[in-house]
C-alpha cells in the first residue's frame, strides 16, 4: 500500500497547526519516532491514531486520508473474480450432477455406478480447493468479504476488522451446515436404496 499521501497529509497538517513531532506525539499518545515514521512513509498509523489525528487537526478522517482511502478499497484483479465465479459454478454443477446421477447409475450399472459418482465428486472437490485457494490468497472468508470481492472491491480497514471477528462463528455454522447436508444426502440415498 502506498502511504505517501497520508504521510504528506500528517506533515502538512502538523505544520499548519504549528506542532512539533513531540507535541503531536503527546496528543495522539504515541512516540515522536512513530510520528516521524508516519511522515517519512515508513509505516501507517492504526485506526485509533487516525481518529486522534483527525481530532487534533480538526479535519474529517476522509480529508486526512484522502487518496489513501481509495487505495484501501482498491479494485481486485478482474481475472481473480472471474476465476472465483467459474470455480464456484463448476463445483456447484458437479455436486448437483453427482447427487442426481447416483441413483440412476446404481440402478442401471449396479455398484459400478459409484465409479462415475466418485469421479464427479472428486472433480467438484478439485474446484472447491481452487475456490478456497483464491479465498485464502485474497484473505476473504465471510460472506460480506466474498460479496465485496466478487464486486471487485475490498473492505476498508474497519469493515475488515468487523468481518475478522465473525470468522470463527461462520466456520462453526459452515461445519454444521455441511454436516446437515451430508446427513440429508445419506438419508435420501438409504431411502432410495431400500426402494
Amino acid at each position: 500500500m502506498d502511504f505517501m499521501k497520508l504521510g504528506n497529509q500528517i506533515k502538512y497538517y502538523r505544520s499548519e497547526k504549528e506542532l512539533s513531532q513531540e507535541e503531536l506525539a503527546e496528543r495522539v499518545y504515541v512516540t515522536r519516532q512513530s510520528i516521524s515514521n508516519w511522515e517519512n512513509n515508513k509505516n501507517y498509523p492504526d485506526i485509533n491514531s487516525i481518529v486522534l489525528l483527525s481530532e487534533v487537526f480538526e479535519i474529517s478522517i476522509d480529508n486526512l486520508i484522502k487518496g489513501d482511502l481509495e487505495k484501501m478499497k482498491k479494485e481486485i484483479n478482474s481475472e481473480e473474480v472471474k476465476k472465483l465465479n467459474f470455480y464456484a459454478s463448476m463445483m456447484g454443477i458437479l455436486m448437483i450432477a453427482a447427487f442426481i446421477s447416483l441413483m440412476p447409475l446404481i440402478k442401471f450399472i449396479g455398484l459400478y455406478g459409484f465409479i462415475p459418482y466418485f469421479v464427479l465428486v472428486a472433480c467438484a472437490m478439485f474446484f472447491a480447493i481452487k475456490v478456497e485457494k483464491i479465498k485464502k490468497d485474497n484473505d476473504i472468508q465471510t460472506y460480506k468479504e466474498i460479496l465485496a470481492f466478487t464486486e471487485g472491491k475490498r473492505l476498508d480497514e474497519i469493515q475488515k476488522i468487523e468481518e475478522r471477528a465473525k470468522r470463527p462463528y461462520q466456520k462453526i455454522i459452515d461445519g454444521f451446515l455441511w454436516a446437515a447436508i451430508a446427513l440429508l444426502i445419506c438419508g435420501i440415498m438409504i431411502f432410495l436404496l431400500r426402494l
Side-chain angles (χ1 to χ4, degrees), residues 34-184:
S34 294
I35 301 295
S36 175
N37 286 341
W38 297 342
E39 290 182 355
N40 292 311
N41 308 310
K42 291 184 179 172
N43 60 29
Y44 201 73
D46 63 23
I47 192 67
N48 294 330
S49 297
I50 290 174
V51 170
L52 290 171
L53 286 167
S54 73
E55 289 173 4
V56 169
F57 297 147
E58 298 174 342
I59 59 170
S60 71
I61 292 174
D62 285 346
N63 285 338
L64 179 62
I65 60 175
K66 176 176 35 180
D68 284 344
L69 186 60
E70 288 310 308
K71 293 203 182 295
M72 288 166 64
K73 294 180 178 179
K74 69 181 179 180
E75 294 294 314
I76 304 292
N77 180 347
S78 64
E79 283 300 310
E80 288 287 292
V81 174
K82 286 178 188 173
K83 282 184 199 174
L84 178 71
N85 290 334
F86 173 75
Y87 295 153
S89 298
M90 289 303 297
M91 178 186 72
I93 290 167
L94 289 168
M95 286 305 286
I96 291 169
F99 179 70
I100 291 172
S101 67
L102 179 61
M103 294 320 297
L105 286 170
I106 291 174
K107 184 171 182 161
F108 291 113
I109 57 177
L111 292 179
Y112 292 113
F114 280 108
I115 295 171
Y117 169 77
F118 286 122
V119 168
L120 286 172
V121 170
C123 291
M125 291 300 109
F126 170 78
F127 286 110
I129 290 167
K130 292 282 199 180
V131 166
E132 288 303 313
K133 182 175 181 342
I134 290 173
K135 287 169 55 178
K136 182 180 178 197
D137 290 346
N138 291 281
D139 191 30
I140 54 174
Q141 296 296 320
T142 65
Y143 300 117
K144 189 173 183 179
E145 290 170 328
I146 293 167
L147 181 61
F149 181 83
T150 58
E151 291 173 353
K153 298 176 183 157
R154 289 205 189 269
L155 302 178
D156 65 31
E157 196 59 32
I158 294 172
Q159 291 172 315
K160 196 74 170 167
I161 291 166
E162 291 171 352
E163 291 305 305
R164 280 193 186 116
K166 295 177 187 176
R167 288 182 185 182
Y169 304 109
Q170 183 173 331
K171 290 185 187 228
I172 292 168
I173 292 169
D174 284 348
F176 281 119
L177 180 64
W178 283 111
I181 290 170
L183 285 173
L184 178 66

